[in-house]
Amino acid sequence: MARLIGGVGSSHVPAIGNALEQGLQTDPYWKPFFDGYKPVWNWMEDKKPDVAILVYNDHGLNFFLDTMPTFAIGAAAEYQNADEGWGLKPLDPFQGDPEFSWHLIDSLVHDEFDITMCQEMLVDHGFTVPMSLMWPNQDTRDQVKVIPLCVNVVQYPFPTAQRCLKLGEAIGKAVASFDKDLDVVILGTGGLSHQLDGERAGHTNREFDTEFLEKLKDEPEWLLKYSNYELAKIVGPQGVEMIMWLIMRGALGGNIRELSRNYHIPISNTAAGVILFENDAV
């Protein structure tokens, strides 16, 4: 059966993609950020997962304000990348796993999650930046099949933090019920605190971000006490993306270890973080 071997929470700021393209990993501005990913690179190289479920939000490439599904899962054999306006060089197509995707969709619908099924899907920087961060080498990245899971954190109303945590739990159940021999990793992306526009443009909240990271392993329910409206005030409207990390955390269950964590501020006016969990139950 399939095994969920671990999970990563990661920022997906488009400027990271430009830094990767320009080879700025050792630049003084970027080095503290990229150094935080070295344990993740080593872990991915050691574990060699077969499939990555990547939780992110679309930035207008597939969905816009007039049509915004709460949860959408890709069920395609291939996912093309296109630039949605940040000047990022499109990456090679990503290989999907339709059989596994349809299994996840079927299981989640039977667990009463209303999933939008996408048999064609473009992926933007919210997806490609984390893929490049997890697997900097193109050859290694090509060996990992992907399942995009797109969450609406763009157009209100958003799903609640509790709904995201429960979706993660349902994903963990769905992975465990798939009868193929696969090692699966789940990536929760976005955030951390940031506000891109308005009078508070550039707002970040180190104290809240740090507590969120400290609580994520053993007390992910800590975030549930805040409504999305409250979170928007505390971490900025775009900082609400951190609820997508709860999907990753919920999928992993209770028997996990935290292997590494890094927090760096700012990256393109965003508080950026990465955290790596390994599932001890497999």
Side-chain angles (χ1 to χ4, degrees):
M1 77 180 189
R3 297 165 297 277
L4 197 48
I5 61 172
V8 181
S10 173
S11 300
H12 65 212
V13 182
I16 299 168
N18 282 318
L20 286 166
E21 286 181 16
Q22 297 170 30
L24 300 178
Q25 292 90 331
T26 59
D27 181 89
Y29 179 84
W30 286 101
K31 190 176 186 302
F33 170 80
F34 283 110
D35 282 353
Y37 284 82
K38 290 180 179 178
V40 178
W41 300 337
N42 293 334
W43 188 84
M44 292 294 185
E45 176 62 28
D46 178 54
K47 298 298 181 181
K48 294 180 172 57
D50 302 297
V51 181
I53 301 170
L54 202 158
V55 185
Y56 74 110
N57 57 295
D58 182 82
H59 299 80
L61 193 58
N62 276 286
F63 311 114
F64 202 60
L65 303 183
D66 56 348
T67 307
M68 187 65 66
T70 301
F71 300 119
I73 295 182
E78 183 180 88
Y79 301 96
Q80 296 280 345
N81 168 222
D83 175 33
E84 71 278 16
W86 295 101
L88 295 172
K89 180 181 177 182
L91 300 181
D92 292 343
F94 297 87
Q95 183 181 4
D97 189 333
E99 182 183 9
F100 192 22
S101 289
W102 282 113
H103 170 81
L104 290 177
I105 291 166
D106 182 69
S107 181
L108 293 174
V109 169
H110 280 88
D111 276 340
E112 303 193 353
F113 285 89
D114 299 320
I115 301 296
T116 298
M117 299 160 279
C118 301
Q119 297 183 64
E120 293 183 3
M121 200 173 189
L122 295 171
V123 290
D124 67 15
H125 77 265
F127 180 96
T128 62
V129 166
M131 288 297 296
S132 298
L133 281 171
M134 301 302 118
W135 296 278
N137 182 280
Q138 179 72 54
D139 292 338
T140 306
R141 193 186 315 145
D142 287 343
Q143 296 173 16
V144 183
K145 293 183 178 181
V146 298
I147 299 178
L149 196 171
C150 191
V151 179
N152 172 31
V153 289
V154 175
Q155 171 78 350
Y156 276 95
F158 302 162
T160 64
Q162 184 176 43
R163 188 67 169 162
C164 288
L165 187 62
K166 288 184 176 180
L167 175 60
E169 293 168 354
I171 290 171
K173 174 184 170 184
V175 171
S177 66
F178 190 57
D179 61 3
K180 295 292 180 67
D181 185 24
L182 294 175
D183 286 338
V184 182
V185 65
I186 184 166
L187 314 177
T189 76
L192 294 167
S193 64
H194 63 297
Q195 180 161 336
L196 301 180
D197 50 17
E199 294 181 357
R200 290 200 314 168
H203 169 76
T204 57
N205 190 327
R206 177 187 293 271
E207 182 179 357
F208 191 91
D209 290 339
T210 301
E211 189 165 9
F212 170 68
L213 292 171
E214 290 175 348
K215 300 283 189 184
L216 190 58
K217 175 181 175 288
D218 295 321
E219 300 178 61
E221 299 85 0
W222 173 80
L223 196 67
L224 308 189
K225 63 185 176 182
Y226 300 99
S227 72
N228 285 331
Y229 299 100
E230 291 169 327
L231 280 178
K233 292 179 181 178
I234 297 168
V235 298
Q238 290 77 34
V240 180
E241 291 174 352
M242 65 174 55
I243 66 175
M244 294 188 289
W245 292 41
L246 291 183
I247 298 176
M248 175 273 293
R249 177 62 191 89
L252 295 177
N255 193 9
I256 64 171
R257 291 185 294 152
E258 179 183 324
L259 299 184
S260 70
R261 183 197 315 177
N262 185 60
Y263 181 76
H264 182 60
I265 190 169
I267 287 295
S268 187
N269 290 328
T270 301
V274 60
I275 195 165
L276 170 63
F277 296 124
E278 184 172 78
N279 195 338
D280 283 343
V282 295

